[in-house]
Amino acid sequence: MDYYVGIDLGGTNTKIGILNIDGEIFKSTVIKTLSSEGAQKTLTRIWEATKELGEELKIDIKKIKGIGIGIPGPVINQSVVAFFANFPWGENIDIKSMMEEISGVETKLDNDVNIIALGEAKYGAARGSKTSVTVALGTGIGGGIYVDGKLISGFMGAGGEIGHMKLVMDGKLCGCGQKGCFEAYASATGLIREATSRLIVNKQNLLYTMIEGKLDTLEAKDIFDAAKEGDKFSLDLVDYEAEYLAMGIGNILNIINPEKIVLGGGVAMSGEILLNPMKEKLKKYALPVTLKNIEIVQGILGNEAGIKGAVALFN
Amino acid sequence: MDYYVGIDLGGTNTKIGILNIDGEIFKSTVIKTLSSEGAQKTLTRIWEATKELGEELKIDIKKIKGIGIGIPGPVINQSVVAFFANFPWGENIDIKSMMEEISGVETKLDNDVNIIALGEAKYGAARGSKTSVTVALGTGIGGGIYVDGKLISGFMGAGGEIGHMKLVMDGKLCGCGQKGCFEAYASATGLIREATSRLIVNKQNLLYTMIEGKLDTLEAKDIFDAAKEGDKFSLDLVDYEAEYLAMGIGNILNIINPEKIVLGGGVAMSGEILLNPMKEKLKKYALPVTLKNIEIVQGILGNEAGIKGAVALFN
């Protein structure tokens, strides 16, 4: 049997797994990334950890046919990283060649959110769909667009950066420095910002009580929890979240017309209380033809999406 | 030599051409579409006209290897038309099979704006680019997304419907029945609507004089003409157009990150007076990485884009 290595390169930790081409994980491990040591050292350490995994599995290392890596940054041609979101590794680094030299194994890479989308498309919630878009709703909003077996990675590696689609002209300031981004409204952070702003002038609600007035501890989950208890203040916030989510996803539907939308990340885990109103509101934003037969589902790969998606680069 | 037929099926007229696979037109003609006679009769008449063209060119009809058709409506799998924008031909009509039965020649179809995008990508302004998006700025706004040799036609044929991306929540009513669409702001019609609205309260400007106060005769071209004369009122309207155009195109850049944007249609013909401020404004809407090396150009295929793009389905 041939084996593949899936690597989810993260700001703090890096997850490494040995899988088969069907996305089945035989063994995985997590190591510290320690990116400050530089790309060469980090990649070498990742390869050492991979070989250890292989030994534990009693796998002949020559049977490893490919290494896939999810990268926190834009990746050009599945080989060169334009820049890293959090690493001091410089610009236009050819990680593919570097890893191939270290390991002697063919290496492919792509942006980490694109990789999650590929994982869901090949092995997860969108398996069997020709076209799917995965929307990662967390601290920020990321996206991956999968069409006919391939990711739309973009000319400079920025394909699928749906979180920075503008929904409001001259709107709320986003972490990217621009204004009115989808992410500034509908990410967990966007929801927390709106909630905090409202809580400053309205303290007569369950949410305020739940967090004991400590605004700086507020998490998106608190809002959904209070809403599930029937707190009107929190239900209004969920409505706000659903509205912008529908506008952003509606735009994706109009532009890509996918067969499936996969929602991942913390916000999506709130479940029906958010998804039901969002689906209803979609009718205002998406052309009717794009809603015909569309399925909007939650991702199923969870924490394993990164290493599975990385291996899917070879599938 | 092998020959291909390109057909641009329009509401009133249908353009037919005989080309080679490189998009070179040997002869073309225009016939009335007469769609009220039904699909079968119209397609038969188109095939008769094609055979006449072939005879004039002294081409053995057996050398025609493919028929490509641009359709005013969403096309599924390059074969079935979900519905026609202006024709009484019903829903989910298998035009591919119908035309293949009439002609005995392999037939492929796609949405007419997608076809223009394919034409520009294979033979026109975006030739040589791996990824390009063509934006047709006319009465409405259409789009076609070309990635790695193929169109993103969408699950239900609605891929590239960028004109109905929402830029303003609860914004201006669009012809589609929804609100806040890109098309409601930045199409020729959108610009005329804004100009008309402003002219009702401000008549002290060159534009009002140029159209002799006849608001119902106002065309987008008048606005650009007056702006080129230095009319402040019209320059402000061009700024409005540039702003929404930049927001819409910026969103496309963030989602697709293409190598090239091709602008077509009447509004794009206004030239630098619109394109220069639009490019400047893009910096507010598009992530910097997506603007690196991007080229934004005017389409070059003009009236021939339809038949050339239709043949490009076989390229």
Side-chain angles (χ1 to χ4, degrees), chain A residues 19-232:
Chain A
L19 294 80
N20 64 15
I21 197 64
D22 297 320
E24 204 181 331
I25 300 173
F26 297 113
K27 206 169 176 80
S28 69
T29 185
V30 176
I31 65 168
K32 292 283 165 207
T33 303
L34 305 177
S35 65
S36 60
E37 294 180 354
Q40 185 73 34
K41 277 203 175 167
T42 298
L43 295 180
T44 303
R45 217 154 14 76
I46 288 171
W47 179 240
E48 294 304 322
T50 304
K51 284 193 290 187
E52 276 174 38
L53 272 186
E55 277 164 30
E56 288 167 32
L57 286 168
K58 300 192 193 340
I59 285 172
D60 178 359
I61 213 77
K62 287 180 196 122
K63 295 251 173 155
I64 294 180
K65 298 300 181 191
I67 299 174
I69 315 179
I71 301 280
V75 177
I76 302 166
N77 283 333
Q78 303 194 330
S79 51
V80 173
V81 182
F83 59 85
F84 291 84
N86 318 300
F87 297 16
W89 290 6
E91 291 187 9
N92 298 314
I93 308 299
D94 186 347
I95 294 292
K96 174 186 167 74
S97 299
M98 212 181 262
M99 193 61 172
E100 287 181 345
E101 212 155 288
I102 291 166
S103 66
V105 178
E106 187 190 358
T107 302
K108 295 181 183 182
L109 27 149
D110 212 310
N111 169 267
D112 50 9
V113 184
N114 283 351
I115 286 285
I116 290 173
L118 188 64
E120 292 289 355
K122 295 268 190 183
Y123 307 129
R127 190 173 183 162
S129 296
K130 274 182 71 179
T131 312
S132 59
V133 178
T134 295
V135 181
L137 294 164
T139 311
I141 295 183
I145 304 168
Y146 174 87
V147 177
D148 289 343
K150 286 205 297 192
L151 287 168
I152 297 191
S153 300
F155 179 46
M156 298 301 291
E161 282 289 355
I162 63 171
H164 301 286
M165 159 176 47
K166 306 300 177 280
L167 297 187
V168 180
M169 188 176 279
D170 239 336
K172 284 192 187 177
L173 185 66
C174 180
C176 74
Q178 297 183 334
K179 287 178 178 175
C181 297
F182 183 24
E183 173 171 312
Y185 293 84
S187 67
T189 315
L191 179 58
I192 290 168
R193 288 169 74 180
E194 182 66 20
T196 303
S197 160
R198 295 186 188 188
L199 282 167
I200 289 172
V201 295
N202 183 337
K203 302 182 198 314
Q204 303 303 318
N205 54 71
L206 177 63
L207 182 61
Y208 192 82
T209 309
M210 268 177 55
I211 61 167
E212 297 171 347
K214 294 175 191 151
L215 295 189
D216 55 347
T217 69
L218 181 65
E219 292 181 22
K221 188 175 178 303
D222 299 324
I223 298 162
F224 292 110
D225 285 348
K228 283 172 190 168
E229 296 287 323
D231 181 40
K232 170 78 169 63

Side-chain angles (χ1 to χ4, degrees), chain A residues 155-156 160 166 251 255 257, chain B residues 155 160 166 178 251 255 257:
Chain A
F155 179 46
M156 298 301 291
K166 306 300 177 280
N251 282 351
I255 295 168
N257 183 205
Chain B
F155 180 46
K166 306 301 178 279
Q178 297 183 334
N251 282 352
I255 296 168
N257 183 206

Side-chain angles (χ1 to χ4, degrees), chain B residues 50-64:
Chain B
T50 304
K51 283 193 289 188
E52 275 173 38
L53 272 187
E55 278 164 29
E56 288 168 32
L57 286 168
K58 300 192 190 346
I59 286 173
D60 178 0
I61 213 76
K62 285 180 197 127
K63 295 253 173 155
I64 293 180

Side-chain angles (χ1 to χ4, degrees), chain B residues 168 170-174 178-181 184-185 190 193-194 197 240:
Chain B
V168 181
D170 239 336
K172 284 192 186 177
L173 185 66
C174 180
Q178 297 183 334
K179 287 177 178 176
C181 297
Y185 293 84
R193 288 168 74 179
E194 182 67 19
S197 160
Y240 168 94

